[in-house]
Amino acid sequence: MRKSLFPVVLSGALLAAPVAAFAADYVTNAGDIVKAADWEKMETVTVELDEHSFAPQDLKLKAGQPYKLVIKNVGEKDHYYTAAEFFKAVAWRKAQTPRPSGGEIKAPYFTAVEAYKDGGVVELFFVPVNKGTFEVVCTIEDHKEQGMKGTITVD
């Protein structure tokens, strides 16, 4: 099965969204879940990307809880935060770069997030739906082999 990707550029970040034809692989009632979520009770989790690590390396999230995941590159190289199977298992609200500049994307699906070197920040708003443990890696060159890997566990 071949998936086409349409890259979308925000100030400081690159996000990729797969073609809607493959939506069956993803949470299908995401709009309803996002609408029903209590965003006043949203929890914020920050992950810093550096050479060559994620901090924290492993995340523990709760199904049904709304989150803002802040991905911040504190390193001197560009880095990806790729968790394709996890990204399929959540209901997406949006992705954005911090105000006052930048912007936001409202898309039903993402496959990877790239935060540019020297302070690139991307904020992801979502509700985890499917429970499990999901791999997260940096897919640039040999970054995974050098330690840029971890897990996201949804209970």
Side-chain angles (χ1 to χ4, degrees):
M1 185 182 318
R2 200 174 113 206
K3 292 186 180 181
S4 300
L5 299 178
F6 297 98
V8 180
V9 178
L10 286 175
S11 174
L14 173 71
L15 302 172
V19 177
F22 298 97
D25 293 346
Y26 296 82
V27 173
T28 57
N29 59 338
D32 295 334
I33 293 168
V34 167
K35 187 175 181 179
D38 184 353
W39 291 97
E40 295 293 321
K41 293 182 180 175
M42 174 182 70
E43 291 185 25
T44 299
V45 178
T46 300
V47 175
E48 292 188 342
L49 315 181
D50 203 351
E51 282 73 52
H52 288 95
S53 65
F54 298 137
Q57 183 175 14
D58 301 308
L59 299 180
K60 292 195 184 285
L61 308 176
K62 295 177 185 171
Q65 169 67 45
Y67 288 93
K68 174 171 80 170
L69 175 59
V70 179
I71 299 172
K72 182 176 183 180
N73 189 340
V74 298
E76 297 177 2
K77 298 179 182 178
D78 294 341
H79 293 294
Y80 273 92
Y81 194 77
T82 304
E85 293 305 311
F86 170 75
F87 291 165
K88 290 178 183 180
V90 306
W92 289 102
R93 179 178 172 199
K94 64 181 176 177
Q96 69 182 31
T97 55
R99 293 184 180 266
S101 60
E104 70 179 43
I105 296 174
K106 293 182 178 167
Y109 317 110
F110 300 105
T111 57
V113 176
E114 182 177 7
Y116 296 139
K117 63 184 174 184
D118 301 323
V121 176
V122 180
E123 298 172 344
L124 304 174
F125 296 77
F126 61 89
V127 178
V129 176
N130 299 331
K131 295 179 180 181
T133 299
F134 307 91
E135 180 183 47
V136 59
V137 299
C138 180
T139 55
I140 294 178
E141 300 169 353
D142 63 346
H143 292 192
K144 176 183 174 183
E145 291 73 25
Q146 290 194 47
M148 281 192 95
K149 59 186 173 184
T151 61
I152 301 171
T153 300
V154 177
D155 294 323

